[in-house]
Amino acid sequence: MSASHRPAWKTALVAVTTLAVVFGATACSSSPSKTGSTSSKGGTLTTQFAGVPISLNPALGGSGGSAIFTSLPYDSLIYQTGDGKLIPDLATKWALSDGNTKLTLTIRKGVTFTDGAKLDAAAVKASIEYMMKAGGGDARYAGPVDSIATPDADTVVITYKSAYPDAPYYLSQYWGVGQIIGPKGLSDPKSLLTQSDGTGQYAYSASDSVSGSSYTFVRNKKYFNPDAQQFDKVVVKVIGDPSAVSSAVTTGQVDFAGVSPTTAAAVKSAGLKLVTAPFFTWGLTLADTQGTLSPALKNEDVRQAIGMAIDRDALASALSADYTQANGQMGAKGTDGHVANYGFDYDVKKAKSLLAKGGYPDGFELTVLTENILDSQTTISQAIAGDLGKIGIKVNLVVKNSVPEFIQGALSKQFPALIWPVVGTNSAQVVTNFTQPGVTNPFGNTYASLNELYTAAQSSTSASARTAAYEKLTKAANDAGVFAPAVSTENIFAIGKTITNVTASALNPNPMPQAPDAKYAWKRTK
């Protein structure tokens, strides 16, 4: 790949702040108590998110860092620590068996929902079944569920139609399927938009919130482990401008912030610690591979040409090479299944030749859906559009101004391609973005080669065999041309001087302030 030229989009890019790390958070300082201890509990933690919540109903809400809106009031069955370890939450223990097709969970006793109802196996079953049918974009993460049984009040047994070793991971705080909703909320799902009904450390307070601006969660007095509750209140403020976030954290107005690659150096020079972790892989999802809206995308040569047209090195350099890597495959470096020295190469001449071979020597027009929240100022989207223009593909970008609007647009099946980052700790997790119905597979496409390799990976009993299967899956995804990867970016978090215990890793790149065990929760120092 070459970055010898300087395209117009890159020149403009240098002058603006780019790519907000939207799955981060910021914390406003509050007065610590005068107890003489090294840390203080109570007060208000104010966090930042770049966009409005997809939904306050966890069955319809967002995953990853956007799950902060639902993970605060809805405890999950399993909790993932900053280093990626899975520990007990509402489930005190769990075990996979029968070739990874059966998951048995033991439910914690003595837990109640905010409406007073008791947590038991029946409540867990009802919540998961509701989530699977509610129509949310993350329903696919429930996996190939065949049945959910409750042999007694404390046991839930989930049986899958095929091997699903990632099941415990998807029952953690980042995915709606594991965030358990109480019976009252399930009886009236619309009520979940104004009041929560979970077992979490905090409860949503609509009266203290301003829709579209700030969302307030107050301490849940019924929480099963009060020692783990570090704050009286958590406020999530919607702040989308990266420059504003950077200014707030460097001037001490906030204690914790997700910062962009282009402002990270300035934040660090102000004396703040940075915590980073690989997360997004950005690229162009070619959703309409059946050619329903764009006949050209049905042609494999055309899809391969698109993969070769993106100047990844130039984009990575412009976005700040310290926190962005050119990447020609669907998984970020460090994930299981990432193949070293492999991926689409930048080759305009060969891309044009493949377009001609596919029957489009003069190119074609392509409507692409994108948004300006995760892709701040649509910088990455414009770069990809500009690169495709070099081989004759005229891209018409349709920009949505919020994540919910983007998701609604993607699921409408009105756009043949879209720009949206994909995530996963292994290739099997990433490839589900393109093989299971959802935002990045709105047409419900199936790919025999990918499905076969996915099944092989999930059924592998040894780590080495699974990694080998993941690597084959990575290469098969490129061969299918369902996704034209561009760059992988890191989440970057700036930590102020009064907040401690914030950790992130490749396995968990999105810190959350709450934890069922105090040793994993954020703390405020004296």
Side-chain angles (χ1 to χ4, degrees):
M1 292 182 285
S2 171
S4 59
H5 65 286
R6 187 181 182 84
W9 63 263
K10 182 178 176 182
T11 301
L13 180 59
V14 175
V16 298
T17 302
T18 60
L19 190 58
V21 184
V22 301
F23 283 155
T26 63
C28 287
S29 178
S30 64
S31 300
S33 61
K34 306 295 184 178
T35 62
S37 62
T38 58
S39 65
S40 61
K41 294 178 63 174
T44 298
L45 178 74
T46 302
T47 67
Q48 168 263 340
F49 192 74
V52 298
I54 295 173
S55 178
L56 294 175
N57 177 344
L60 303 174
S63 55
S66 62
I68 190 171
F69 292 105
T70 52
S71 68
L72 290 170
Y74 297 93
D75 247 6
S76 53
L77 288 167
I78 296 170
Y79 183 86
Q80 187 183 39
T81 65
D83 61 3
K85 180 181 178 181
L86 298 178
I87 66 171
D89 200 333
L90 294 182
T92 57
K93 60 181 180 179
W94 58 91
L96 279 164
S97 60
D98 295 7
N100 294 332
T101 62
K102 181 183 290 186
L103 178 66
T104 302
L105 305 108
T106 300
I107 305 306
R108 187 182 296 277
K109 297 180 180 179
V111 178
T112 59
F113 294 95
T114 51
D115 67 358
K118 291 183 178 181
L119 174 75
D120 59 14
V124 171
K125 178 179 187 241
S127 181
I128 294 176
E129 289 180 338
Y130 164 70
M131 191 275 181
M132 292 168 57
K133 299 176 182 178
D138 288 346
R140 61 189 177 190
Y141 299 121
V145 175
D146 183 45
S147 65
I148 303 177
T150 56
D152 57 56
D154 304 321
T155 306
V156 174
V157 179
I158 306 176
T159 302
Y160 300 96
K161 298 175 183 177
S162 58
Y164 196 51
D166 290 326
Y169 168 77
Y170 284 119
L171 293 177
S172 71
Q173 71 269 30
Y174 296 103
W175 314 93
V177 63
Q179 297 174 357
I180 304 304
I181 306 170
K184 182 178 179 180
L186 293 180
S187 68
D188 182 14
K190 290 184 179 180
S191 69
L192 299 176
L193 303 180
T194 55
Q195 62 182 41
S196 57
D197 186 24
T199 65
Q201 292 184 3
Y202 303 91
Y204 177 59
S205 176
S207 61
D208 295 320
S209 303
V210 179
S211 181
S213 178
S214 65
Y215 298 80
T216 299
F217 302 84
V218 297
R219 181 189 290 260
N220 175 12
K221 296 180 180 179
K222 298 178 181 178
Y223 185 64
F224 70 84
N225 184 16
D227 288 342
Q229 293 173 296
Q230 299 299 307
F231 306 97
D232 294 325
K233 183 186 298 183
V234 177
V235 177
V236 183
K237 287 192 173 182
V238 178
I239 309 174
D241 180 63
S243 296
V245 174
S246 176
S247 176
V249 72
T250 54
T251 57
Q253 298 176 53
V254 300
D255 296 305
F256 181 93
V259 297
S260 76
T262 53
T263 61
V267 171
K268 187 175 182 179
S269 67
L272 300 182
K273 177 183 177 181
L274 297 182
V275 171
T276 65
F279 188 46
F280 284 148
T281 294
W282 286 90
L284 179 68
T285 294
L286 304 175
D288 186 24
T289 56
Q290 297 303 309
T292 303
L293 300 176
S294 178
L297 295 187
K298 187 175 183 178
N299 189 285
E300 290 186 3
D301 289 323
V302 170
R303 300 202 299 270
Q304 291 295 312
I306 290 173
M308 295 178 183
I310 299 173
D311 190 347
R312 298 167 179 84
D313 284 342
L315 179 55
S317 178
L319 285 171
S320 178
D322 288 340
Y323 305 104
T324 311
Q325 296 81 41
N327 188 12
Q329 57 188 288
M330 64 178 179
K333 184 178 181 180
T335 59
D336 199 357
H338 180 90
V339 181
N341 303 314
Y342 172 80
F344 283 108
D345 287 321
Y346 175 54
D347 192 331
V348 171
K349 183 177 180 180
K350 188 172 182 179
K352 288 182 176 180
S353 176
L354 282 172
L355 270 187
K357 181 182 176 183
Y360 295 88
D362 300 320
F364 58 94
E365 289 194 23
L366 181 65
T367 300
V368 176
L369 178 69
T370 189
E371 45 70 46
N372 56 15
I373 302 300
L374 276 67
D375 183 12
S376 181
Q377 302 182 46
T378 63
T379 304
I380 294 176
S381 300
Q382 292 182 53
I384 292 174
D387 284 342
L388 293 187
K390 298 170 194 172
I391 64 170
I393 300 178
K394 181 182 178 182
V395 173
N396 301 311
L397 289 175
V398 176
V399 182
K400 298 297 182 180
N401 297 317
S402 73
V403 170
E405 288 179 342
F406 173 88
I407 291 175
Q408 183 179 19
L411 295 175
S412 72
K413 301 182 182 181
Q414 297 179 7
F415 299 93
L418 53 94
I419 295 174
W420 183 253
V422 294
V423 298
T425 62
N426 60 57
S427 297
Q429 292 176 3
V430 180
V431 83
T432 58
N433 286 276
F434 316 111
T435 60
Q436 295 183 16
V439 173
T440 44
N441 187 16
F443 295 93
N445 298 320
T446 58
Y447 304 92
S449 61
L450 298 181
N451 289 337
E452 181 179 345
L453 289 170
Y454 175 87
T455 299
Q458 298 297 71
S459 302
S460 298
T461 56
S462 71
S464 59
R466 192 172 296 123
T467 294
Y470 288 156
E471 292 178 349
K472 290 180 181 179
L473 193 54
T474 293
K475 294 180 178 180
N478 272 26
D479 291 341
V482 297
F483 180 63
V487 293
S488 291
T489 58
E490 292 188 355
N491 276 357
I492 312 168
F493 305 102
I495 306 170
K497 298 177 181 179
T498 66
I499 295 294
T500 63
N501 218 32
V502 180
T503 58
S505 65
L507 294 177
N508 184 353
N510 294 299
M512 287 288 169
Q514 86 288 350
D517 188 322
K519 69 181 180 180
Y520 297 112
W522 295 3
K523 295 177 176 61
R524 190 181 297 282
T525 61
K526 182 178 178 181

